[in-house]
Amino acid sequence: MQTPTDEKHCQLMVIGAGMAGMAATLFAVKQGLQVAQAGLTGEVIYASGVFDLLGVYPPEKRQVREDPWRALAELAQAEPNHPYARLAPQEIAHAMDLLTEYLGEIGLPYTGHPTKNTRLLTSVGTAKPTFRLPISMAAGSEALAQKAPCLLVDLVGLRGFSARQMASTLAHQWPDLRTATVEAPGPVVHGPKYPEHVARTLEVEAERDAFAAAIAPHIADARYVGLPAVLGIYKTPEIVAQLEERLKVRIFEIPTMPPAITGLRLKEAFESHLPTMGVDAYYHYRVLSVHPASSGGFRLEIGKNDTEQVVHADTVVLATGRFLGKGLIPERDGIHEALLDLPVHQPRHRDRWYAGAFLAPEGHAVSRAGLEVDDQFRPVTADGRVVNDRLFAVGSILAHQDWMRTKSGVGIAVASAWKAVQAICAA
Amino acid sequence: MQTQVLIIGGGATGTGLARDLALRGVDCVLVEKQDINAGASGGNHGLLHSGARYIGSDLAAARECREEGERIKRLAPHCVEDTGGLFVAVAGDDEAYIADFAARCEQCGIAVKAVDLKDAREMEPELSRDLIAAYAVPDASVDPFKLSLDNLADAQARGTRVLRNTHITAFEKSGTRIQRVQVQNRRTGAQFSIVAEQIVNATGAWAGHVAAMAGADIRVLCSQGSLIITQNRLSHRVINRLRQASDADILVPAGTVSIFGTTSVRLDDPDTSRPTVAEIDAMLPDGIAMVPKLAETRFIRAYAGVRPLVQSTPTSDDRSVSRGFALIDHTKEGIDNFITITGGKLTTYRLMAEKTANRVCERLGVTAACETRTAPLPATASGKWTEPGLTPRLWFQQKDKSDLLLCECEMVPTSVVNAITANIQAEGGRPSLRELGQRSRVGKGPCQGAFCSLRLTAHLYNEGCLSADQGLEELRDFLNERWRGVHPLLWGQAVAQAELQEALHCGLYGLELVEA
């Protein structure tokens, strides 16, 4: 016999624990709603940690934008179905501010230019436009903008991160880049080094001095030192400050390839702090099914494989992501929404999903597939009917946007989450 | 540059010819516009035919396959996995063809044996429950890359010079002879010329183009065949559909994976070849009828090769055009020192090379006899890393933790990558991600190069193999190339993998913004 499952009630159930789900939960709980949240945090661990608003527009012209707000105005004009077109610029700015203020309060401070995009140095030597970045990465953008004398450091055993690669790739525009390779912090052991392991080592104060001592001989006249993003998981600002103090230079982190810790920091911060605000959290659990109840509201079954918890919710926010997050299921015969089989806007046939070249500037049609919504971010049918007036969808599952090519993932996630929560509270 | 024989094309025939001539003491230069086996020689099943497939259409070809297949098993055993093969028919297949099969095989000297249906399903549990006939034949699996790389390495050891990424820009004629061949390195743009006594056009599907440049006219039909690679090996043996040779009827094991195909789609220009969604969708139902597991297995990659079919009479069915090869002497068209060898099959590459070498030697007045008929093909380092499962095995044995894995899916360590780059450099090339992919299992696992491309690029910079911003172009080229094979197979879990790759390479790195 199965053990009887628990039953609970909440005003709002947020399904999904990526950036959109976390933002929706945060905004709702701050508005005083009784919130439950469930979902795998799988996708967040791939996050770069930087918050894009709109970095490239239009993508087919490969236009990198310094002023995201001007780009947004053009986008809203040209693409009335885009999620951003359903939001006022002030709403988008406000949502982004709310999120970064909160992260600052819980020890993961973000920074950036008040209104403009910032360029972030990547480990392949490109300069990514982004809007808000962890303060541990800020000095890198400064150094890149000034082309200041700078030392890039890589670690023995940390694969896919080569200081020499970055310096060579950027040499024509940034001649004052130098490189060094040092042993990763901690006891010298052969074999691969992983960012998470190195970062946990640096959480220990004594290890930071030894690490600084290993870097010191290479500094010469450098005013900045760039390191892979391994400077702790919980105490990054403190570690950066301590290294800067020892080495008398500005320190910055450069995002690494997966498995990275930039996403892990966000995951850990949200997962440890949202429950303390009263969120009934089911992280690492999936919502197995959602049924609209005849009395209004929804009945949700939560568990790993079998139902372990039943939640009755007045309102549901779907923040289940796209293919990687398993919000959308791509079968050979078409794309389906995973939980409620909601109508999915998509290309007519599978042979239209992808362009012939992976790096085709216009991107892939499948990236713009997803849920169509109204101005309150409620899913609608192809003829524009609201599916359920207590059901909302936010984040990357939304149709008519390509966050990867326009560099707008977190912006869309956070702004749509904010708008949906406003609509829920107003109802 | 001066030589006795200029070989154009680095496929199975060109590399086989290089070795054959080198063994006879003839000085050769081989030019290849891309890399070894970039055309049909790399784009096939890797099936070493017993000949049984051709008993319905071409008995001569069936006999040739039988002889040459046996010879390759004997002389190049390190390139072959002698799996054996089964021909199976399912309910609905042509009964008359089945009835004649064994007798026709025997007529060609192919060792054929009827297999009880219950035994067949025990031998190959993934076979359909709807079998109506099964025969065992001596088919095998062969690694075409290893074969060509080893042929070439042996030729090079005997003095053959090899120019990769080098294409022909013009033939300069004087009277009835090609006096000089203008070539260009496609990477550096450097142009130079080669003076050769004899010139062999071994460019497969491109043979018509190259011949036309020399002022000769041959009609080569281009027939694209697409294949798909499964994540796991589905059978021990080669599985053939027991019916008149058709699309989607062969499943060949290759190490830890299986290869299913193929199709036949007419192309006007072999350079436009790539597997399509339509081909995959058309091919799967036929395969599922034979091996039902194909309905649920995960596919890793698709690829396509272009068969050169030499046309004698106008035809609309590419499979009725002879798969036998064509050795064309262009004397009648007024060129005395130009020969085209095209058509044929991987299994008969050596015979094609032998016949061509005989003709060339006759013209050069060289009397040395062919040795490839009897001399074993030496195994060399340049070919060995393409074998699935080899690098993990060595890596585990060696237990050196500081030898970091650069490709985690296929477990290719730094030491192997360094050995391959050293090899490429010794051959005068610059190691690229694409070439590393061709010479090893790098990028062939489930991540399809998303992660290993980054680790390899970083490593190549650290080793001084890349400089300035070459890495960006390397990544772009490698990812776009891998995409050709992934693109038609994107549904289910593979879509999530593609999304992760795009989030990383476009979302974070912005590689699509880099001007090519």
Side-chain angles (χ1 to χ4, degrees):
Chain A
M1 211 188 95
Q2 275 194 326
T3 47
T5 48
D6 251 358
E7 304 225 354
K8 279 188 183 175
H9 174 263
C10 67
Q11 287 175 300
L12 172 64
M13 178 82 213
V14 175
I15 311 176
M19 285 305 295
M22 292 300 187
T25 302
L26 171 69
F27 297 154
V29 81
K30 285 213 159 185
Q31 297 260 8
L33 291 178
Q34 222 188 322
V35 187
Q37 185 191 11
L40 306 174
T41 37
E43 219 169 339
V44 175
I45 65 161
Y46 295 112
S48 59
V50 298
F51 295 170
D52 295 349
L53 179 58
L54 184 59
V56 173
Y57 193 82
E60 61 275 15
K61 293 193 175 149
R62 309 191 213 200
Q63 273 199 39
V64 177
R65 305 298 294 255
E66 194 188 5
D67 181 347
W69 304 105
R70 269 184 62 186
L72 266 168
E74 288 166 32
L75 178 150
Q77 190 78 40
E79 301 181 33
N81 287 325
H82 193 287
Y84 271 151
R86 302 183 189 279
L87 292 149
Q90 301 85 331
E91 294 178 306
I92 299 169
H94 181 60
M96 192 66 104
D97 285 347
L98 281 181
L99 176 73
T100 50
E101 276 162 25
Y102 173 74
L103 287 169
E105 285 163 24
I106 63 172
L108 205 54
Y110 274 71
T111 184
H113 188 278
T115 58
K116 287 183 181 164
N117 280 328
T118 302
R119 292 301 200 102
L120 172 85
L121 174 63
T122 75
S123 57
V124 298
T126 51
K128 173 189 166 63
T130 191
F131 190 61
R132 293 288 175 260
L133 60 171
I135 60 159
S136 60
M137 296 181 186
S141 300
E142 215 176 278
L144 172 66
Q146 297 168 15
K147 310 289 187 277
C150 178
L151 173 72
L152 298 175
V153 175
D154 57 27
L155 306 180
V156 176
L158 184 71
R159 296 162 298 169
F161 189 94
S162 158
R164 187 164 168 176
Q165 176 179 4
M166 289 178 272
S168 302
T169 304
L170 289 162
H172 65 287
Q173 47 162 308
W174 192 355
D176 246 355
L177 277 177
R178 262 138 304 143
T179 67
T181 301
V182 302
E183 288 287 345
V188 175
V189 277
H190 294 302
K193 298 289 187 301
Y194 295 94
E196 182 175 348
H197 187 180
V198 178
R200 289 193 190 279
T201 305
L202 285 174
E203 292 280 324
V204 180
E205 213 180 317
E207 296 288 354
R208 300 171 205 165
D209 285 334
F211 189 44
I215 298 168
H218 302 285
I219 289 185
D221 66 339
R223 290 197 284 120
Y224 293 84
V225 171
L227 293 162
V230 295
L231 304 181
I233 295 166
Y234 309 98
K235 299 179 195 160
T236 306
E238 183 188 318
I239 297 168
V240 171
Q242 199 172 332
L243 291 176
E244 289 189 335
E245 204 260 317
R246 293 284 192 285
L247 295 169
K248 309 293 178 215
V249 291
R250 297 294 312 280
I251 296 282
F252 63 92
E253 289 189 305
I254 301 161
T256 61
M257 61 174 283
I261 53 161
T262 41
L264 184 66
R265 286 174 187 157
L266 285 164
K267 168 180 142 28
E268 296 278 299
F270 281 123
E271 285 188 3
S272 57
H273 287 90
L274 287 177
T276 66
M277 298 171 77
V279 174
D280 186 16
Y282 302 93
Y283 300 133
H284 316 293
Y285 286 85
R286 291 189 308 131
V287 170
L288 303 171
S289 70
V290 183
H291 296 287
S294 50
S295 54
F298 301 85
R299 180 179 190 275
L300 299 102
E301 296 181 331
I302 298 169
K304 287 191 169 152
N305 296 305
D306 302 315
T307 304
E308 293 174 45
Q309 176 76 51
V310 171
V311 173
H312 298 274
D314 301 336
T315 303
V316 164
V317 167
L318 213 53
T320 43
R322 302 183 67 78
F323 307 114
L324 195 57
K326 298 192 169 67
L328 296 175
I329 309 296
E331 310 270 15
R332 250 173 87 207
D333 65 352
I335 301 165
H336 310 282
E337 188 279 319
L339 279 174
L340 289 144
D341 202 17
L342 296 169
V344 177
H345 169 81
Q346 59 186 291
R348 216 164 349 108
H349 186 267
R350 190 169 72 83
D351 64 10
R352 309 266 177 94
W353 286 5
Y354 291 97
F358 172 58
L359 297 171
E362 69 275 18
H364 305 290
V366 75
S367 302
R368 292 177 174 268
L371 304 184
E372 299 195 285
V373 291
D374 69 357
D375 282 346
Q376 298 183 24
F377 287 89
R378 293 177 300 188
V380 296
T381 58
D383 55 7
R385 229 167 5 89
V386 170
V387 174
N388 182 318
D389 64 1
R390 304 306 300 161
L391 177 67
F392 296 78
V394 301
S396 63
I397 196 171
L398 298 172
H400 306 296
Q401 54 81 25
D402 183 347
W403 68 269
M404 296 184 284
R405 297 311 181 98
T406 53
K407 324 300 167 197
S408 56
V410 172
I412 291 172
V414 171
S416 60
W418 185 83
K419 187 76 172 186
V421 170
Q422 292 312 107
I424 293 163
C425 293
Chain B
M1 191 178 266
Q2 211 150 0
T3 184
Q4 282 181 286
V5 181
L6 170 64
I7 302 167
I8 309 169
T13 316
T15 55
L17 177 61
R19 175 169 182 252
D20 192 309
L21 288 170
L23 282 164
R24 303 192 208 204
V26 177
D27 182 63
C28 298
V29 171
L30 184 148
V31 297
E32 161 56 49
K33 72 167 179 168
Q34 295 184 53
D35 197 8
I36 301 315
N37 281 10
S41 301
N44 60 66
H45 265 111
L47 166 51
L48 194 66
H49 282 290
S50 61
R53 182 166 169 81
Y54 300 104
I55 51 102
S57 56
D58 191 340
L59 292 181
R63 283 194 193 95
E64 272 173 14
C65 279
R66 199 252 306 148
E67 278 175 35
E68 285 299 312
E70 284 170 1
R71 189 167 280 128
I72 291 173
K73 283 182 193 173
R74 203 166 59 240
L75 300 178
H78 61 285
C79 297
V80 177
E81 186 187 344
D82 199 355
T83 58
L86 283 181
F87 271 73
V88 298
V90 298
D93 286 345
D94 179 8
E95 308 253 349
Y97 190 84
I98 300 168
D100 290 346
F101 181 75
R104 299 194 73 139
C105 283
E106 280 159 7
Q107 217 179 321
C108 300
I110 300 163
V112 63
K113 197 170 137 265
V115 179
D116 181 79
L117 296 184
K118 193 168 140 281
D119 293 345
R121 295 224 337 121
E122 261 169 35
M123 289 157 76
E124 296 296 349
E126 297 299 349
L127 281 174
S128 164
R129 290 172 190 283
D130 297 331
L131 288 197
I132 56 169
Y135 289 92
V137 297
D139 280 346
S141 165
V142 61
D143 182 339
F145 287 96
K146 196 182 274 193
L147 202 57
S148 291
L149 290 169
D150 284 352
N151 269 306
L152 196 60
D154 194 36
Q156 282 179 291
R158 294 164 198 280
T160 300
R161 287 162 286 171
V162 180
L163 305 167
R164 291 187 170 84
N165 298 302
T166 301
H167 67 153
I168 308 295
T169 54
F171 291 97
E172 284 176 19
K173 282 196 286 186
S174 164
T176 58
R177 288 186 71 79
I178 294 171
Q179 224 42 315
R180 190 181 287 275
V181 182
Q182 299 292 348
V183 302
Q184 182 181 34
N185 184 308
R186 298 167 81 207
R187 282 250 179 84
T188 62
Q191 302 197 25
F192 52 104
S193 62
I194 300 170
V195 175
E197 291 173 54
Q198 294 292 327
I199 295 146
V200 180
N201 171 18
T203 54
W206 288 265
H209 291 267
V210 172
M213 285 175 74
D217 181 33
I218 46 172
R219 182 81 200 279
V220 178
L221 291 180
C222 294
S223 172
Q224 165 167 302
S226 288
L227 304 107
I228 44 184
I229 305 176
T230 62
Q231 176 154 19
N232 298 306
R233 181 165 172 156
L234 299 183
S235 67
H236 304 293
R237 296 162 188 77
V238 175
I239 312 274
N240 266 277
R241 188 75 166 266
L242 175 47
R243 64 181 181 194
Q244 185 73 38
S246 171
D247 285 351
D249 49 10
I250 307 180
L251 182 71
V252 179
T256 56
V257 303
S258 285
I259 298 167
F260 173 64
T262 173
T263 60
S264 44
V265 177
R266 185 75 64 85
L267 294 183
D268 291 329
D269 177 359
D271 284 322
T272 61
S273 162
R274 65 182 297 157
T276 64
V277 171
E279 283 176 286
I280 306 305
D281 284 351
M283 191 157 64
L284 276 177
D286 253 354
I288 291 165
M290 183 168 80
V291 176
K293 182 90 175 177
L294 286 168
E296 55 193 74
T297 192
R298 183 171 168 191
F299 296 105
I300 294 290
R301 199 163 62 86
Y303 59 101
V306 184
R307 309 174 189 97
L309 305 172
V310 181
Q311 194 177 19
S312 39
T313 53
T315 174
S316 57
D317 178 5
D318 287 353
R319 289 194 191 278
S320 70
V321 180
S322 172
R323 295 293 165 95
F325 56 84
L327 178 60
I328 302 161
D329 189 322
H330 295 285
T331 318
K332 269 181 272 167
E333 288 150 292
I335 318 170
D336 292 343
N337 60 342
F338 187 60
I339 294 170
T340 293
I341 174 74
T342 187
K345 287 170 281 288
L346 177 65
T347 305
T348 55
Y349 87 94
R350 193 212 59 80
L351 182 64
M352 294 165 69
E354 178 187 337
K355 300 279 188 202
T356 311
N358 287 348
R359 184 74 57 91
V360 168
C361 287
E362 201 180 289
R363 287 179 169 191
L364 291 172
V366 172
T367 53
C370 173
E371 287 186 32
T372 61
R373 194 169 264 279
T374 48
L377 177 67
T380 59
S382 54
K384 79 182 204 196
W385 305 116
T386 57
E387 182 185 326
L390 173 68
T391 55
R393 207 160 61 232
L394 294 179
W395 189 75
F396 278 121
Q397 280 167 6
Q398 158 198 305
K399 290 197 184 84
D400 176 4
K401 279 192 183 165
S402 59
D403 190 8
L404 302 178
L405 292 177
L406 293 178
C407 169
E408 291 196 329
C409 302
E410 297 287 319
M411 303 189 71
V412 182
T414 308
S415 57
V416 168
V417 171
N418 287 347
I420 297 170
T421 54
N423 232 314
I424 296 173
Q425 282 168 329
E427 291 165 7
R430 173 169 77 73
S432 68
L433 294 187
R434 205 196 270 224
E435 281 171 88
L436 283 168
Q438 261 154 353
R439 285 166 173 71
S440 70
R441 303 289 304 162
V442 158
K444 297 194 172 78
C447 96
Q448 278 302 305
F451 296 160
C452 56
S453 61
L454 295 168
R455 294 193 205 101
L456 281 169
T457 308
H459 175 73
L460 290 177
Y461 271 103
N462 288 345
E463 294 292 311
C465 298
L466 290 175
S467 61
D469 57 2
Q470 285 171 339
L472 293 176
E473 195 42 45
E474 281 292 309
L475 283 167
R476 286 179 56 91
D477 178 63
F478 183 76
L479 294 170
N480 276 332
E481 172 60 25
R482 291 276 104 188
W483 184 253
R484 290 161 62 93
V486 178
H487 162 256
L489 297 171
L490 288 172
W491 69 84
Q493 189 53 36
V495 171
Q497 187 64 47
E499 189 176 59
L500 174 57
Q501 176 172 335
E502 195 180 352
L504 184 63
H505 292 280
C506 300
L508 177 58
Y509 296 135
L511 288 178
E512 84 281 18
L513 303 171
V514 175
E515 293 289 343

